[in-house]
């Protein structure tokens, strides 16, 4: 049965932390039963629309744009892609290199902490495994990107008016002007 948008959203909402489970109704004979699936792990979803508000803090969003009708870029379609073969290859890779993946999963990112570490940690873990196979500087590049992204997001979370108010307040406190506020 095809996956619905609702099921994809449930998977994304639950899959950002260990133990995340999404439920899907599946047919068993004449009846339907809910079947739970473990959905923890990094995911990549492409699209021209943004993500749901609750997912924005759990995603590294890269928006794409729909190509114009006269675009010289060729239409890239995934038709004919053997998804089963890709999934099987990833499964074999995980089984053959499980010790490396488990070691990478415990990797701490010194530059990023808390909720941001939950977001960037899995990507940094994958980067550390891939880097060990010969892509020099990948972890450093991704760590730099993560640190900059976290700093940019923190700046966006504080509205400009709040920054100005806090700066004026701090300056007033330093200058001792707070006594005039009474």
């Amino acid at each position: 049965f095809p996956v619905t948008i609702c099921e994809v959203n449930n998977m994304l909402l639950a899959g950002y932390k260990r133990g995340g489970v999404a439920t899907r109704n599946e047919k068993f004979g004449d009846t339907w039963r809910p079947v739970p699936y473990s959905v923890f792990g990094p995911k990549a979803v492409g699209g021209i629309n943004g993500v749901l508000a609750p997912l924005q803090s759990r995603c590294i969003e890269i928006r794409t744009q729909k190509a114009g009708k006269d675009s010289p870029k060729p239409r890239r379609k995934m038709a004919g892609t053997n998804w089963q073969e890709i999934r099987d290859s990833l499964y074999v890779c995980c089984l053959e290199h499980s010790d490396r993946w488990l070691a990478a999963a415990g990797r701490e990112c010194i530059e990023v902490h808390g909720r941001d570490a939950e977001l960037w940690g899995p990507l940094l873990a994958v980067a550390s495994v891939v880097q060990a196979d010969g892509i020099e500087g990948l972890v450093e590049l991704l760590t730099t990107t993560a640190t900059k992204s976290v700093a940019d997001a923190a700046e966006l979370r504080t509205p400009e008016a709040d920054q100005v108010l806090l700066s004026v307040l701090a300056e007033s406190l330093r200058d001792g002007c707070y006594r005039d506020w009474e």
Side-chain angles (χ1 to χ4, degrees), residues 45 85 111 115 119 124 133 138 158 160 166 182:
V45 179
E85 183 180 324
E111 307 284 332
R115 178 75 179 106
L119 293 171
L124 288 162
D133 285 337
L138 183 60
T158 307
E160 190 174 334
L166 289 172
E182 296 177 28

Side-chain angles (χ1 to χ4, degrees), residues 35-71:
V35 177
Y37 289 94
S38 174
V39 292
F40 170 68
K43 294 152 192 71
V45 179
I48 58 173
N49 296 324
V51 296
L52 297 173
L55 292 174
Q56 288 176 346
S57 69
R58 300 175 185 169
C59 294
I60 301 164
E61 188 173 358
I62 302 171
R63 286 207 183 176
T64 57
Q65 294 181 346
K66 189 174 184 177
K69 291 181 181 179
D70 299 332
S71 174

Side-chain angles (χ1 to χ4, degrees), residues 30-162:
D30 294 341
T31 63
W32 291 81
R33 282 191 240 156
V35 177
Y37 289 94
S38 174
V39 292
F40 170 68
K43 294 152 192 71
V45 179
I48 58 173
N49 296 324
V51 296
L52 297 173
L55 292 174
Q56 288 176 346
S57 69
R58 300 175 185 169
C59 294
I60 301 164
E61 188 173 358
I62 302 171
R63 286 207 183 176
T64 57
Q65 294 181 346
K66 189 174 184 177
K69 291 181 181 179
D70 299 332
S71 174
K73 299 282 182 187
R75 302 271 183 226
R76 292 183 175 93
K77 296 192 185 241
M78 299 302 284
T81 301
N82 188 344
W83 294 108
Q84 183 67 44
E85 183 180 324
I86 292 170
R87 188 174 68 185
D88 291 347
S89 295
L90 288 169
Y91 184 67
V92 168
C93 176
C94 287
L95 289 175
E96 287 179 350
H97 304 286
S98 61
D99 56 333
R100 293 172 65 196
W101 292 111
L102 287 172
R107 181 184 183 285
E108 291 290 324
C109 176
I110 296 168
E111 307 284 332
V112 182
H113 304 285
R115 178 75 179 106
D116 297 314
E118 286 182 6
L119 293 171
W120 286 95
L123 291 172
L124 288 162
V126 170
S128 69
V129 171
V130 172
Q131 180 173 292
D133 285 337
I135 300 180
E136 291 298 319
L138 183 60
V139 172
E140 182 181 348
L141 174 66
L142 192 57
T143 300
T144 301
T145 302
T147 305
K148 183 177 179 339
S149 175
V150 168
D152 289 349
E155 194 172 296
L156 288 174
R157 282 192 293 262
T158 307
E160 190 174 334
D162 290 353

